[in-house]
Amino acid sequence: MVTIPAHIHSVNHVTSVIWYRNGTQLDPESDSRYTATVSDNTLATLEIDSLRDEDVGVYVVVVTNSDDSIANASVEVKYPVLPSARVSPSRRTVEVGDSVDVVCATDGTGPLDTQWTAENGDVVADGNRLTIATATLVHSGVYTCTVSSPFSAAQATFDLTVLTECNVTGSTNGRLQLVEMCNSDGVWSPLCDNEWTQEDATVVCRELGYREPKSVRYETINKTMVNATHISCRGNETALRDCVSTEPPVNAVCQLALVDCSPDVT
């Protein structure tokens, strides 16, 4: 509900109050959203229920008394301005490690409240600025800027794509040795797996376009691998990213996953 007040130069016995918006007369009797009243012959008010976009504009009230003389014919109320949101550019592509700083331009009759939310609905920033200090693959997605006022709300979206060069590694002749995969930070991660299985190797070869693994091997190294990943596949996945991956225990001795794929291309 929005109330538009207009102070009038009073004369006794006010008989009619007519409101206009952008030159068009409003009819409270036929449109229940509008209620026009006069208090003590000095204050004319227009109440608008369920505010809509078409309600924005310049309002003029005309008040007459019992002698049909105009008591006030020039009260302009430029109110309200519904909120708006705009993000420019609306999409951006960055690389892993880049910083992202986006501003949501807002307008409207305040007070205004602005928030950024991720695709899952989590609030990622209060205010009109979205900042990501170091972008990773998990930051890819559509972010929504929502600006709210006491009258309405508006939204704008920002589509962020984070790229990395790593997908899957291996030689084109199918003789894959050290198995690595791209982790969520967009960096190469060696598979440090003490339970490297035929099913795991099958998924690797399938992703590279080969029929089946020719051999499955370990290589034990007596040191901890930085950014190492443990993988667990059922064997029917199309790519390593579809398997369950976890980080190995801290300070664990790695057994690196090795495999040779069959030369028969599917």
Side-chain angles (χ1 to χ4, degrees):
M1 174 91 56
V2 174
T3 301
I4 301 177
H7 294 279
I8 60 177
H9 301 295
S10 175
V11 294
N12 292 329
H13 308 298
V14 172
T15 58
S16 69
V17 178
I18 302 175
W19 283 89
Y20 298 84
R21 182 189 65 243
N22 299 331
T24 300
Q25 181 177 339
L26 303 178
D27 188 1
E29 292 185 1
S30 61
D31 192 335
S32 60
R33 292 194 309 121
Y34 301 111
T35 303
T37 59
V38 175
S39 300
D40 299 327
N41 294 321
T42 59
L43 180 65
T45 59
L46 177 68
E47 292 183 345
I48 307 175
D49 192 17
S50 301
L51 198 67
R52 302 173 183 172
D53 290 342
E54 62 265 26
D55 294 323
V56 174
V58 177
Y59 287 79
V60 174
V61 61
V62 176
V63 181
T64 58
N65 64 8
S66 57
D67 297 327
D68 291 331
S69 61
I70 297 175
N72 192 315
S74 184
V75 176
E76 294 187 359
V77 184
K78 297 181 180 179
Y79 187 80
V81 177
L82 297 184
S84 64
R86 183 174 61 89
V87 178
S88 181
S90 60
R91 61 178 61 243
R92 184 179 171 190
T93 300
V94 301
E95 294 183 355
V96 168
D98 288 348
S99 62
V100 179
D101 188 31
V102 186
V103 176
C104 179
T106 62
D107 191 17
T109 301
L112 299 178
D113 179 59
T114 307
Q115 281 187 334
W116 283 93
T117 53
E119 289 187 60
N120 60 4
D122 289 346
V123 176
V124 293
D126 288 314
N128 65 343
R129 185 178 295 273
L130 172 65
T131 301
I132 301 174
T134 304
T136 66
L137 294 182
V138 297
H139 288 116
S140 290
V142 178
Y143 296 84
T144 301
C145 167
T146 302
V147 53
S148 304
S149 77
F151 317 108
S152 185
Q155 291 183 330
T157 59
F158 174 66
D159 190 348
L160 177 64
T161 301
V162 182
L163 296 180
T164 178
E165 293 182 356
C166 69
N167 293 294
V168 67
T169 187
S171 58
T172 56
N173 63 8
R175 296 188 61 81
L176 179 69
Q177 293 187 9
L178 175 62
V179 181
E180 294 182 323
M181 67 180 296
C182 184
N183 64 24
S184 62
D185 292 327
V187 297
W188 284 114
S189 171
L191 290 186
C192 176
D193 201 328
N194 296 343
E195 297 178 359
W196 181 241
T197 66
Q198 182 80 11
E199 289 77 12
D200 301 333
T202 297
V203 176
V204 172
C205 292
R206 179 182 296 123
E207 184 170 5
L208 289 175
Y210 295 92
R211 189 177 304 279
E212 61 186 9
K214 193 173 182 178
S215 65
V216 177
R217 293 183 288 129
Y218 292 146
E219 178 180 304
T220 301
I221 59 174
N222 294 319
K223 66 178 182 178
T224 301
M225 296 295 295
V226 178
N227 292 326
T229 299
H230 175 88
I231 202 78
S232 177
C233 302
R234 297 186 303 273
N236 59 354
E237 295 88 349
T238 58
L240 278 179
R241 63 178 178 271
D242 301 324
C243 303
V244 178
S245 61
T246 58
E247 294 183 1
V250 178
N251 298 326
V253 174
C254 279
Q255 287 185 326
L256 296 183
L258 305 176
V259 65
D260 287 340
C261 293
S262 169
D264 298 328
V265 179
T266 57

